[in-house]
């Protein structure tokens, strides 16, 4: 019965080509034409409307940390929806409380730390911006190449002109500093800086890690000037690097703790949820009435978060991320078309010997692999954390089998 209803809602089965035409006639053209029409997933694989299987090495952009249709996640979401699906934020639910406690424990948060739940990454960054404004200081220091989201506050912190300029004027006070330049940060600091906002590894800029030592220097400067240090871990958090959060990873943050951290992508294992964590005193800069949300902290989303974190821990996925990430990095670096592999754990950017990332992604799709041409010369991998070497090795064979001549347009 419910299956019939779902089928009626979507209409009769159609080919990928038919769905693409209907997509174009029904959805706003903000993403360009879709590459695939996907109907099903299991583990690290997805299937399109024509029955073709693909290894999903993008994972819904670092979202599907448990892969697709994970039984524990599915059961947790179904059970919560069948028990209590939504209440307003006039009321608390045990799942949201437990998830907030879990995030504070995993991030080794000091006393006074607090969590605010959202539905997305950009909303988590909006929370960060409002926390920064509550310092009473006007300036926010962001990085060139930064991506923090598409809503107006987060967009003000996003560097790419093509994303920002059609929507100006944006909220003011944001300055973009040369990427990873400690001297520029030192020069920019002052008593009027509310927050330094950093991605420990810039995802959308092509998997670009901040240089070693930058985060520690930013921490010291924030302390010296009484500013907040904020890490946007929407992409790097939730086990992606092989630590729970990138700031804890010995090769990334090396334990430099921010005052504010944003999370989303992987947190719900595919269910929409985000969070902004205020560490210590930053956890109480927003007071009653100063922020809100109807859906944020929804019990189903919170149950998804708890189940996702639970499976990562139960199945030892952080260790898998570290081991598989290292093995994959070493193997991909051997490919004749790869100049360099950047990133940590299972957030990897393979920089090609030519600006042919779109072509490689197209060839990969034809061979049954979903990867992302994140910049003209870099292919991004952000696969499920459950991925195994046996599952990914056909992709390694594919990429190492390409020659520089394959990168030229045919
Ligand atoms: C994806 C991303 C965002 C925006 O998240 P949405 O859920 O798409 O709004 C913000 N910051 C970083 C670092 C991201 O990678």
């Amino acid at each position: 019965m419910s299956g019939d209803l779902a089928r009626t809602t979507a209409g009769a089965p159609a080919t990928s080509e038919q769905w693409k035409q209907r997509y174009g006639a029904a959805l706003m053209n903000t993403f360009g034409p879709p590459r695939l029409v996907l109907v099903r997933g299991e583990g690290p694989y997805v299937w399109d409307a024509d029955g073709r299987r693909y290894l999903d090495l993008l994972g819904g952009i670092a979202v599907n940390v448990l892969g697709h249709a994970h039984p524990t996640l599915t059961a947790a979401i179904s059970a919560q929806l069948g028990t209590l699906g939504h209440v307003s934020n006039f009321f608390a639910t045990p799942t949201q409380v437990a998830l907030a406690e879990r995030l504070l424990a995993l991030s080794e948060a000091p006393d006074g730390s607090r969590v605010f739940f959202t539905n997305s990454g950009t909303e988590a960054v909006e929370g960060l911006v409002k926390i920064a404004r509550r310092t009473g200081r006007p300036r926010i220091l962001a990085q060139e190449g930064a991506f923090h989201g598409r809503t107006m506050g987060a967009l003000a912190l996003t560097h790419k002109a093509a994303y920002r300029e059609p929507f100006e004027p944006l909220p003011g006070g944001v300055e973009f500093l040369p990427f990873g330049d400690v001297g520029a940060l030192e020069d920019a600091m002052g008593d009027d800086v509310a927050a330094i906002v950093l991605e420990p590894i810039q995802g959308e800029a092509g998997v670009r890690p901040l240089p070693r030592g930058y985060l520690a220097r930013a921490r010291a400067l924030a302390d010296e000037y009484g500013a907040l240090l904020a890490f946007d871990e929407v992409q790097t958090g939730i086990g992606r690097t092989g630590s729970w959060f990138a700031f804890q990873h010995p090769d990334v943050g090396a334990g430099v703790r921010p005052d504010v951290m944003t999370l989303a992508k992987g947190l719900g294992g595919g269910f929409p949820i985000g969070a902004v964590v205020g560490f210590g005193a930053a956890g109480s800069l927003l007071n009653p009435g100063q922020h809100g949300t109807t859906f944020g902290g929804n019990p189903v989303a919170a149950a998804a978060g708890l189940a996702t974190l639970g499976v990562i821990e139960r199945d030892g996925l952080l260790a898998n991320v570290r081991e598989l990430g290292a093995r994959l990095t070493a193997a991909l670096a051997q490919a004749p078309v790869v100049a360099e592999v950047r990133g940590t754990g299972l957030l990897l950017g393979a920089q090609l010997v030519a600006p042919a990332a779109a072509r490689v992604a197209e060839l990969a799709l034809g061979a049954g692999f979903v990867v992302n041409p994140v910049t003209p010369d870099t292919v991004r991998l952000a696969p499920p954390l459950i991925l195994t070497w046996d599952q990914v090795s056909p992709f390694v064979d594919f990429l190492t089998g390409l020659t520089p001549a394959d990168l030229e347009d045919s």
Side-chain angles (χ1 to χ4, degrees), residues 24-320:
L27 285 111
M28 287 190 193
N29 183 21
T30 57
F31 300 103
R35 315 302 300 166
L36 300 174
V37 179
L38 299 173
V39 296
R40 186 165 76 84
E42 194 182 318
Y45 300 103
V46 289
W47 283 261
D48 71 11
D50 306 324
R52 286 202 61 193
R53 188 184 86 162
Y54 303 85
L55 180 66
D56 183 5
L57 296 174
L58 182 55
I61 316 185
V63 166
N64 295 297
V65 293
L66 305 184
H68 298 272
H70 193 285
T72 309
L73 181 59
T74 306
I77 290 171
S78 305
Q80 185 60 48
L81 189 59
T83 305
L84 184 67
H86 177 80
V87 298
S88 73
N89 276 308
F90 295 125
F91 310 105
T93 63
T95 45
Q96 75 180 178
V97 175
L99 181 59
E101 289 172 348
R102 195 93 163 80
L103 289 174
L104 294 176
L106 293 175
S107 59
E108 301 160 279
D111 288 348
S113 304
R114 298 284 186 272
V115 178
F116 180 90
F117 286 117
T118 69
N119 311 289
S120 65
T122 199
E123 283 172 89
V125 174
E126 294 295 324
L128 183 172
V129 171
K130 288 179 83 169
I131 289 170
R133 289 288 198 246
R134 287 284 299 132
T135 63
R137 298 176 174 203
R139 297 170 63 214
I140 298 179
L141 305 181
Q143 294 280 301
E144 290 179 0
F147 181 85
H148 296 294
R150 304 292 204 137
T151 54
M152 297 302 261
L155 189 57
L157 299 177
T158 291
H159 182 240
K160 201 173 183 173
Y163 293 171
R164 304 160 43 80
E165 283 171 358
F167 305 102
E168 289 174 348
L170 295 169
V174 179
E175 295 159 44
F176 294 102
L177 305 181
F179 178 76
D181 181 337
V182 168
L185 180 60
E186 289 168 348
D187 292 346
M189 285 309 290
D191 293 337
D192 53 357
V193 172
I196 305 167
V197 182
L198 304 171
E199 295 159 87
I201 301 170
Q202 286 189 338
E204 300 309 304
V207 190
R208 253 196 331 174
L210 275 166
R212 241 168 213 285
Y214 190 95
L215 296 177
R217 188 70 189 119
R219 176 72 276 168
L221 287 165
D223 290 342
E224 184 181 338
Y225 288 92
L228 297 171
L229 179 64
F231 291 168
D232 182 349
E233 293 231 27
V234 166
Q235 189 156 162
T236 54
I238 318 299
R240 179 57 47 195
T241 62
S243 294
W244 283 107
F245 308 102
F247 80 79
Q248 297 167 324
H249 193 289
D251 300 337
V252 188
V256 171
R257 197 175 51 218
D259 302 299
V260 182
M261 172 171 70
T262 52
L263 299 170
K265 291 196 165 87
L267 179 54
F271 203 90
I273 181 171
V276 53
V277 183
F279 290 101
S284 32
L285 281 171
L286 291 176
N287 297 316
Q290 292 185 334
H291 201 33
T293 166
T294 297
F295 288 120
N298 167 288
V300 181
L306 281 171
T308 301
L309 299 176
V311 173
I312 292 174
E313 185 165 65
R314 183 195 71 192
D315 295 351
L317 295 182
L318 298 183
N320 185 56

